[in-house]
């Protein structure tokens, strides 16, 4: 069992930055691939970023590539999402997830989820 707790969300102006954190507990975090997803009101949950267990491989949605960076610190059982050049369309609840069983971008393939953190970008 894995417990995930996100933090770092908030209100920011367009063009600003936020760093989200996701702290994991309950089992060996360092062996778990991790993903970030988001869901805006009235929209489906969408993939944002993925990182493998070692941090050697990362993948991003085209909408955030070049602006967002996913990273991890296995010594701290934490995965991060650095978000720069934020846009109003980035407004959503952001969730981290662990242990994908299918494609890294398929949200229904992840075994564990955090409760989410709200990111609001004002124009």
């Amino acid at each position: 069992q894995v417990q995930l707790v996100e933090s770092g969300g908030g209100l920011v102006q367009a063009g600003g930055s936020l760093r989200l954190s996701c702290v994991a507990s309950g089992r060996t975090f360092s062996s778990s691939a991790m993903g970030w997803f988001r869901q805006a009101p009235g929209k489906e949950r969408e993939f944002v970023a993925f990182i493998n267990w070692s941090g050697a491989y990362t993948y991003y949605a085209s909408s955030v590539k070049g602006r967002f960076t996913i990273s991890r610190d296995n010594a701290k059982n934490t995965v991060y999402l650095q978000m720069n050049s934020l846009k109003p369309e980035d407004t959503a609840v952001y969730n981290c997830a662990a242990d994908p069983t299918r494609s890294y971008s398929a949200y229904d393939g992840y075994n564990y989820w955090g409760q989410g953190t709200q990111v609001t970008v004002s124009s």
Side-chain angles (χ1 to χ4, degrees):
Q1 193 76 4
V2 177
Q3 293 80 43
L4 304 173
V5 179
E6 302 98 332
S7 62
L11 174 63
V12 64
Q13 288 188 331
S17 298
L18 283 174
R19 188 176 80 156
L20 305 183
S21 300
C22 173
V23 179
S25 62
R27 54 167 275 186
T28 305
F29 169 79
S30 59
S31 64
S32 299
M34 303 290 294
W36 282 99
F37 292 79
R38 67 186 183 186
Q39 187 167 21
K43 295 188 176 181
E44 291 193 356
R45 182 174 292 175
E46 64 172 350
F47 166 75
V48 176
F50 167 88
I51 189 165
N52 80 322
W53 67 272
S54 68
Y57 297 100
T58 58
Y59 301 99
Y60 298 92
S62 57
S63 59
V64 306
K65 196 169 186 178
R67 300 188 297 122
F68 290 12
T69 302
I70 189 170
S71 62
R72 66 191 297 158
D73 185 340
N74 286 344
K76 295 182 178 180
N77 286 356
T78 303
V79 63
Y80 303 99
L81 186 67
Q82 177 67 45
M83 305 186 296
N84 299 328
S85 302
L86 283 161
K87 305 175 181 180
E89 50 264 43
D90 294 319
T91 295
V93 174
Y94 284 70
N95 295 87
C96 65
D99 278 355
T101 59
R102 295 165 50 206
S103 165
Y104 62 83
S105 62
Y107 71 86
D108 58 352
Y110 282 74
N111 285 324
Y112 305 102
W113 289 86
Q115 83 290 347
T117 186
Q118 176 70 46
V119 172
T120 303
V121 184
S122 62
S123 57

